[in-house]
Amino acid sequence: MTTLEIFDKLKEKFGDAVLSIITDKPVDHFINIAPDKTDEICLLLRDQEEFQFDSLSCLSGVDNNDGTLTSVYHLYSFNKNHKVVLKVTVNKDAPDVKSVANIWLTANWHERESYDLIGINYLDHPDLRRMLLPDDWEGHPLRKDYEVPEFYNGMRVPY
Amino acid sequence: MGLLSKYDNPFENSNIIITSVDNLLNWARLSSIWQLGFGLACCAIEMMATSASHYDFDRFGVIPRNTPRQSDVIIISGTVTLKMATRIKKLYEQMAEPKYIISMGSCSNCGGPYWEHGYHVLKGIDRVIPVDVYVPGCPPRPEALLEGLMKLQEKVRHQSIAKKTNGVPAKV
């Protein structure tokens, strides 16, 4: 099933929560969805017979350098052998996205990494805390406007 | 030779050695420097290669111990992140005197290839603990690490247990 067919099927089910499909970029076609309905759409994609996306290949966070953050989901179906890319875009000052950790268990750590480095806040995540950086680190380093701190716990950080 | 030989070489053919306590103690210490097995990143692979049969650490008396309380040297091999640096300081404080640090590789000497953009890399382990020997390389070859160890042995050879008169306490 191609991304366009999946987009049409989701559009007739969810209406305004499925925002758009982008096909003109030189990458995989992707579907933009709204941040508050992410978990419902993903539950349908996992459970419905014609989709059967039982595997979340990758979940990443992106800083788009224009005041918005994006959470990207790569889904794959083993039975049907098709894949789709979903993107959820939020503003930097209210970066709330519904978590899919209850749908695909691998999203637990992927969302923790995305929260740690980009700062997207996943709602209803069972255990959202920093994973790679120390627990008392301030800031989200992979944002474009991040500045390296001068000292951390008495150690000088820059060269 | 002759009548006076027992005065010239009184201990020839016998099993008595005369030396100083410093020499004996230093010889014992440098021949059995036990290391805390502490490999962090790629340099750890080279440290393992040095411990393996081709370049063999064990013939220098270096065996890996699992706890800092029983080791003489930590070979800091690999990139030191800020998260790990606090733990390394704790391990260093748990070692008993006399203790030594060998900083192996570029990352623990000065931050290595992450010096410019590494926001979580400690630029050199000497920002938290005092280093005795720096071994350059990325990663250093096993021969380079062995030379670093031999330099440490030289340092140990010239220690003294006597207190120095200029007020500097000796390493006991």
Side-chain angles (χ1 to χ4, degrees):
Chain A
M1 204 185 287
T2 65
T3 308
L4 199 50
E5 294 168 17
I6 297 175
F7 173 71
D8 291 330
K9 288 202 162 66
L10 287 177
K11 190 87 180 164
E12 60 188 47
K13 194 87 194 281
F14 287 100
D16 283 337
V18 182
L19 299 173
S20 59
I21 177 171
I22 310 288
T23 51
D24 52 351
K25 297 239 175 82
V27 290
D28 283 347
H29 302 167
F30 58 89
I31 303 176
N32 286 321
I33 57 180
D36 49 348
K37 286 275 197 287
T38 307
D39 53 347
E40 292 178 24
I41 299 178
C42 287
L43 196 59
L44 189 82
L45 284 173
R46 186 191 71 170
D47 289 337
Q48 196 162 27
E49 176 63 33
E50 51 190 355
F51 297 130
Q52 281 185 19
F53 284 108
D54 48 9
S55 167
L56 175 68
S57 311
C58 192
L59 193 160
S60 332
V62 182
D63 184 348
N64 298 316
N65 212 7
D66 59 358
T68 60
L69 309 172
T70 301
S71 185
V72 185
Y73 303 82
H74 282 70
L75 306 176
Y76 175 68
S77 167
F78 279 99
N79 291 338
K80 304 273 183 183
N81 196 15
H82 55 207
K83 56 185 169 81
V84 73
V85 181
L86 305 174
K87 290 200 185 185
V88 179
T89 308
V90 284
N91 268 332
K92 213 184 254 192
D93 41 0
D96 296 323
V97 175
K98 275 282 199 190
S99 162
V100 296
N102 299 322
I103 304 173
W104 295 288
L105 293 180
T106 175
N108 197 325
W109 275 27
H110 283 74
E111 288 181 351
R112 273 180 70 185
E113 181 199 15
S114 178
Y115 164 69
D116 189 4
L117 298 173
I118 307 282
I120 300 177
N121 187 22
Y122 291 92
L123 308 170
D124 300 334
H125 189 275
D127 186 18
L128 193 66
R129 55 191 166 99
R130 285 193 184 271
M131 189 160 78
L132 302 166
L133 292 164
D135 289 326
D136 54 351
W137 191 268
E138 286 162 9
H140 299 281
L142 255 48
R143 289 196 177 176
K144 304 288 186 200
D145 55 356
Y146 180 74
E147 283 172 14
V148 184
E150 182 80 20
F151 280 95
Y152 170 72
N153 276 2
M155 296 177 275
R156 200 177 122 76
V157 176
Y159 183 64
Chain B
M1 290 295 286
L3 290 172
L4 296 177
S5 67
K6 68 172 184 160
Y7 298 108
D8 289 332
N9 292 316
F11 298 114
E12 198 178 280
N13 299 327
S14 77
N15 48 9
I16 298 179
I17 303 176
I18 298 186
T19 175
S20 70
V21 176
D22 269 346
N23 280 346
L24 179 64
L25 215 52
N26 290 339
W27 167 79
R29 281 178 176 160
L30 64 88
S31 313
S32 72
I33 302 184
W34 287 2
Q35 64 149 347
L36 173 67
F38 202 71
L40 294 172
C42 359
C43 276
I45 310 293
E46 286 295 326
M47 188 171 72
M48 293 178 218
T50 314
S51 307
S53 57
H54 201 127
Y55 294 101
D56 207 4
F57 247 165
D58 197 5
R59 60 194 164 109
F60 289 88
V62 178
I63 54 178
R65 306 298 295 165
N66 306 89
T67 155
R69 307 241 183 235
Q70 294 171 4
S71 35
D72 301 312
V73 70
I74 301 186
I75 303 184
I76 308 279
S77 50
T79 316
V80 183
T81 54
L82 298 177
K83 200 172 184 180
M84 192 49 144
T86 40
R87 279 98 175 142
I88 293 184
K89 184 126 178 59
K90 192 171 267 198
L91 287 178
Y92 176 73
E93 285 162 4
Q94 285 177 348
M95 286 168 82
E97 290 281 346
K99 52 190 175 187
Y100 307 95
I101 310 282
I102 296 183
S103 165
M104 174 184 181
S106 206
C107 284
S108 49
N109 288 346
C110 61
Y114 308 107
W115 69 273
E116 198 177 8
H117 298 297
Y119 52 85
H120 192 226
V121 172
L122 184 66
K123 314 292 187 303
I125 192 64
D126 50 5
R127 289 192 178 183
V128 283
I129 52 179
V131 174
D132 294 298
V133 174
Y134 296 87
V135 182
C138 188
R141 272 200 61 89
E143 292 104 330
L145 182 59
L146 288 176
E147 166 153 12
L149 178 75
M150 286 164 67
K151 271 214 179 342
L152 183 65
Q153 287 181 336
E154 275 309 302
K155 183 168 182 174
V156 174
R157 200 187 304 267
H158 295 115
Q159 286 178 173
S160 169
I161 65 170
K163 285 201 188 348
K164 302 216 188 311
T165 51
N166 59 357
V168 174
K171 249 186 165 38
V172 177

Short mmCIF file of all heavy atoms in Angstrom, two decimals, chain A residues 70-103:
data_model
loop_
_atom_site.label_atom_id
_atom_site.label_comp_id
_atom_site.label_asym_id
_atom_site.label_seq_id
_atom_site.Cartn_x
_atom_site.Cartn_y
_atom_site.Cartn_z
N THR A 70 9.95 18.72 15.30
CA THR A 70 9.20 17.67 14.62
C THR A 70 9.58 16.32 15.21
O THR A 70 10.75 16.06 15.49
CB THR A 70 9.52 17.65 13.11
OG1 THR A 70 9.18 18.90 12.58
CG2 THR A 70 8.74 16.58 12.40
N SER A 71 8.56 15.47 15.39
CA SER A 71 8.81 14.10 15.82
C SER A 71 8.48 13.22 14.62
O SER A 71 7.39 13.30 14.07
CB SER A 71 7.90 13.79 17.01
OG SER A 71 8.16 12.55 17.54
N VAL A 72 9.45 12.40 14.19
CA VAL A 72 9.30 11.63 12.95
C VAL A 72 9.16 10.15 13.31
O VAL A 72 9.93 9.63 14.10
CB VAL A 72 10.54 11.81 12.04
CG1 VAL A 72 10.34 11.11 10.73
CG2 VAL A 72 10.81 13.28 11.83
N TYR A 73 8.17 9.49 12.72
CA TYR A 73 7.94 8.07 13.00
C TYR A 73 8.09 7.28 11.71
O TYR A 73 7.45 7.60 10.71
CB TYR A 73 6.51 7.84 13.52
CG TYR A 73 6.18 8.63 14.76
CD1 TYR A 73 5.79 9.95 14.68
CD2 TYR A 73 6.23 8.03 16.01
CE1 TYR A 73 5.50 10.68 15.80
CE2 TYR A 73 5.92 8.75 17.15
CZ TYR A 73 5.56 10.07 17.04
OH TYR A 73 5.26 10.79 18.15
N HIS A 74 8.93 6.27 11.74
CA HIS A 74 9.06 5.36 10.59
C HIS A 74 8.40 4.04 10.98
O HIS A 74 8.83 3.37 11.90
CB HIS A 74 10.54 5.09 10.29
CG HIS A 74 11.21 6.20 9.55
ND1 HIS A 74 11.50 7.41 10.12
CD2 HIS A 74 11.65 6.29 8.28
CE1 HIS A 74 12.08 8.18 9.23
NE2 HIS A 74 12.18 7.54 8.11
N LEU A 75 7.32 3.69 10.29
CA LEU A 75 6.59 2.46 10.61
C LEU A 75 6.80 1.43 9.52
O LEU A 75 6.92 1.78 8.35
CB LEU A 75 5.09 2.75 10.73
CG LEU A 75 4.69 3.87 11.68
CD1 LEU A 75 3.21 4.11 11.61
CD2 LEU A 75 5.08 3.50 13.09
N TYR A 76 6.81 0.16 9.91
CA TYR A 76 7.01 -0.92 8.93
C TYR A 76 6.10 -2.06 9.31
O TYR A 76 5.90 -2.35 10.49
CB TYR A 76 8.47 -1.36 8.92
CG TYR A 76 8.74 -2.54 8.03
CD1 TYR A 76 8.64 -2.42 6.65
CD2 TYR A 76 9.04 -3.78 8.56
CE1 TYR A 76 8.86 -3.51 5.83
CE2 TYR A 76 9.26 -4.86 7.75
CZ TYR A 76 9.17 -4.73 6.38
OH TYR A 76 9.37 -5.81 5.58
N SER A 77 5.58 -2.74 8.29
CA SER A 77 4.73 -3.90 8.54
C SER A 77 5.43 -5.14 8.03
O SER A 77 5.81 -5.22 6.87
CB SER A 77 3.39 -3.73 7.82
OG SER A 77 2.70 -4.95 7.82
N PHE A 78 5.61 -6.13 8.89
CA PHE A 78 6.28 -7.35 8.47
C PHE A 78 5.37 -8.20 7.59
O PHE A 78 5.82 -8.80 6.63
CB PHE A 78 6.69 -8.17 9.71
CG PHE A 78 7.96 -7.69 10.33
CD1 PHE A 78 7.93 -6.88 11.45
CD2 PHE A 78 9.19 -8.03 9.80
CE1 PHE A 78 9.10 -6.42 12.03
CE2 PHE A 78 10.36 -7.58 10.36
CZ PHE A 78 10.31 -6.78 11.48
N ASN A 79 4.07 -8.26 7.94
CA ASN A 79 3.17 -9.11 7.16
C ASN A 79 2.88 -8.54 5.80
O ASN A 79 2.89 -9.24 4.80
CB ASN A 79 1.86 -9.29 7.93
CG ASN A 79 2.05 -10.13 9.16
OD1 ASN A 79 3.00 -10.89 9.25
ND2 ASN A 79 1.15 -9.99 10.12
N LYS A 80 2.60 -7.24 5.74
CA LYS A 80 2.21 -6.63 4.47
C LYS A 80 3.41 -6.09 3.69
O LYS A 80 3.28 -5.73 2.53
CB LYS A 80 1.26 -5.46 4.73
CG LYS A 80 0.06 -5.82 5.52
CD LYS A 80 -1.02 -6.32 4.60
CE LYS A 80 -2.27 -6.61 5.39
NZ LYS A 80 -3.33 -7.14 4.61
N ASN A 81 4.54 -5.97 4.33
CA ASN A 81 5.76 -5.44 3.70
C ASN A 81 5.55 -4.07 3.10
O ASN A 81 5.86 -3.81 1.94
CB ASN A 81 6.28 -6.41 2.63
CG ASN A 81 7.70 -6.10 2.24
OD1 ASN A 81 8.39 -5.37 2.93
ND2 ASN A 81 8.13 -6.63 1.12
N HIS A 82 4.95 -3.15 3.90
CA HIS A 82 4.92 -1.77 3.45
C HIS A 82 5.33 -0.88 4.62
O HIS A 82 5.31 -1.29 5.78
CB HIS A 82 3.56 -1.36 2.89
CG HIS A 82 2.42 -1.60 3.82
ND1 HIS A 82 1.14 -1.82 3.38
CD2 HIS A 82 2.32 -1.63 5.15
CE1 HIS A 82 0.34 -1.99 4.38
NE2 HIS A 82 1.02 -1.89 5.51
N LYS A 83 5.76 0.35 4.26
CA LYS A 83 6.19 1.25 5.30
C LYS A 83 5.63 2.63 5.06
O LYS A 83 5.23 2.97 3.94
CB LYS A 83 7.71 1.29 5.40
CG LYS A 83 8.44 1.66 4.12
CD LYS A 83 9.95 1.51 4.36
CE LYS A 83 10.72 1.60 3.09
NZ LYS A 83 10.97 2.95 2.62
N VAL A 84 5.61 3.41 6.13
CA VAL A 84 5.10 4.77 6.02
C VAL A 84 5.87 5.65 6.98
O VAL A 84 6.43 5.16 7.97
CB VAL A 84 3.59 4.81 6.32
CG1 VAL A 84 3.33 4.63 7.80
CG2 VAL A 84 2.96 6.08 5.82
N VAL A 85 5.94 6.95 6.65
CA VAL A 85 6.63 7.91 7.51
C VAL A 85 5.60 8.93 7.97
O VAL A 85 4.87 9.50 7.15
CB VAL A 85 7.76 8.63 6.74
CG1 VAL A 85 8.47 9.60 7.64
CG2 VAL A 85 8.72 7.61 6.17
N LEU A 86 5.54 9.15 9.29
CA LEU A 86 4.63 10.15 9.84
C LEU A 86 5.45 11.25 10.48
O LEU A 86 6.49 10.97 11.06
CB LEU A 86 3.73 9.55 10.93
CG LEU A 86 2.91 8.34 10.56
CD1 LEU A 86 2.21 7.82 11.80
CD2 LEU A 86 1.88 8.69 9.51
N LYS A 87 4.96 12.50 10.38
CA LYS A 87 5.66 13.59 11.04
C LYS A 87 4.66 14.41 11.84
O LYS A 87 3.57 14.72 11.37
CB LYS A 87 6.35 14.50 10.01
CG LYS A 87 7.53 13.86 9.32
CD LYS A 87 8.44 14.90 8.71
CE LYS A 87 9.55 14.22 7.94
NZ LYS A 87 10.54 15.12 7.40
N VAL A 88 5.07 14.76 13.04
CA VAL A 88 4.25 15.59 13.93
C VAL A 88 5.05 16.84 14.24
O VAL A 88 6.16 16.73 14.76
CB VAL A 88 3.94 14.82 15.24
CG1 VAL A 88 3.13 15.68 16.16
CG2 VAL A 88 3.25 13.52 14.95
N THR A 89 4.52 18.01 13.93
CA THR A 89 5.27 19.25 14.14
C THR A 89 4.61 20.08 15.23
O THR A 89 3.40 20.27 15.22
CB THR A 89 5.33 20.07 12.84
OG1 THR A 89 5.79 19.21 11.82
CG2 THR A 89 6.27 21.23 12.96
N VAL A 90 5.44 20.57 16.17
CA VAL A 90 4.91 21.38 17.28
C VAL A 90 5.79 22.62 17.42
O VAL A 90 6.92 22.65 16.95
CB VAL A 90 4.92 20.60 18.60
CG1 VAL A 90 3.80 19.61 18.65
CG2 VAL A 90 6.24 19.92 18.81
N ASN A 91 5.26 23.61 18.14
CA ASN A 91 6.02 24.82 18.41
C ASN A 91 7.03 24.57 19.51
O ASN A 91 6.84 23.73 20.38
CB ASN A 91 5.08 25.93 18.86
CG ASN A 91 4.62 26.75 17.69
OD1 ASN A 91 5.33 26.85 16.70
ND2 ASN A 91 3.43 27.30 17.79
N LYS A 92 8.08 25.39 19.50
CA LYS A 92 9.16 25.16 20.47
C LYS A 92 8.73 25.54 21.88
O LYS A 92 9.21 24.99 22.86
CB LYS A 92 10.38 25.99 20.08
CG LYS A 92 11.70 25.32 20.43
CD LYS A 92 12.85 26.20 20.12
CE LYS A 92 13.56 25.73 18.89
NZ LYS A 92 14.87 26.37 18.69
N ASP A 93 7.78 26.47 22.03
CA ASP A 93 7.43 26.89 23.38
C ASP A 93 6.34 26.04 24.00
O ASP A 93 6.07 26.17 25.18
CB ASP A 93 7.04 28.38 23.41
CG ASP A 93 6.20 28.74 22.22
OD1 ASP A 93 5.93 27.86 21.39
OD2 ASP A 93 5.84 29.92 22.09
N ALA A 94 5.71 25.16 23.19
CA ALA A 94 4.74 24.22 23.77
C ALA A 94 4.90 22.88 23.07
O ALA A 94 4.00 22.44 22.35
CB ALA A 94 3.32 24.75 23.61
N PRO A 95 6.02 22.20 23.26
CA PRO A 95 6.30 21.01 22.44
C PRO A 95 5.66 19.75 23.01
O PRO A 95 6.34 18.84 23.44
CB PRO A 95 7.83 20.94 22.49
CG PRO A 95 8.20 21.50 23.80
CD PRO A 95 7.16 22.51 24.15
N ASP A 96 4.34 19.67 22.99
CA ASP A 96 3.66 18.51 23.55
C ASP A 96 3.17 17.60 22.44
O ASP A 96 2.43 18.04 21.56
CB ASP A 96 2.45 18.96 24.39
CG ASP A 96 2.89 19.77 25.58
OD1 ASP A 96 3.94 19.44 26.15
OD2 ASP A 96 2.21 20.76 25.90
N VAL A 97 3.54 16.33 22.51
CA VAL A 97 3.10 15.33 21.54
C VAL A 97 2.61 14.13 22.35
O VAL A 97 3.19 13.78 23.35
CB VAL A 97 4.26 14.89 20.62
CG1 VAL A 97 3.84 13.79 19.70
CG2 VAL A 97 4.75 16.07 19.83
N LYS A 98 1.53 13.54 21.89
CA LYS A 98 1.04 12.34 22.58
C LYS A 98 2.02 11.19 22.39
O LYS A 98 2.47 10.95 21.27
CB LYS A 98 -0.32 11.93 21.97
CG LYS A 98 -1.49 12.66 22.56
CD LYS A 98 -1.83 12.06 23.89
CE LYS A 98 -3.22 12.42 24.28
NZ LYS A 98 -3.47 12.05 25.66
N SER A 99 2.27 10.46 23.43
CA SER A 99 3.28 9.41 23.34
C SER A 99 2.69 8.14 22.72
O SER A 99 1.50 7.85 22.88
CB SER A 99 3.77 9.09 24.75
OG SER A 99 4.41 7.86 24.77
N VAL A 100 3.51 7.39 21.99
CA VAL A 100 3.07 6.11 21.43
C VAL A 100 3.74 4.95 22.16
O VAL A 100 3.78 3.84 21.66
CB VAL A 100 3.36 6.02 19.92
CG1 VAL A 100 2.58 7.05 19.18
CG2 VAL A 100 4.82 6.16 19.64
N ALA A 101 4.26 5.21 23.35
CA ALA A 101 4.99 4.16 24.07
C ALA A 101 4.08 3.02 24.49
O ALA A 101 4.55 1.91 24.71
CB ALA A 101 5.67 4.75 25.28
N ASN A 102 2.77 3.27 24.62
CA ASN A 102 1.87 2.18 24.97
C ASN A 102 1.48 1.36 23.76
O ASN A 102 0.87 0.31 23.90
CB ASN A 102 0.60 2.76 25.61
CG ASN A 102 0.93 3.52 26.87
OD1 ASN A 102 1.79 3.10 27.62
ND2 ASN A 102 0.27 4.66 27.09
N ILE A 103 1.79 1.84 22.58
CA ILE A 103 1.42 1.13 21.35
C ILE A 103 2.60 0.27 20.89
O ILE A 103 2.45 -0.93 20.68
CB ILE A 103 1.02 2.13 20.27
CG1 ILE A 103 -0.11 3.01 20.79
CG2 ILE A 103 0.61 1.41 19.00
CD1 ILE A 103 -0.47 4.12 19.88
#
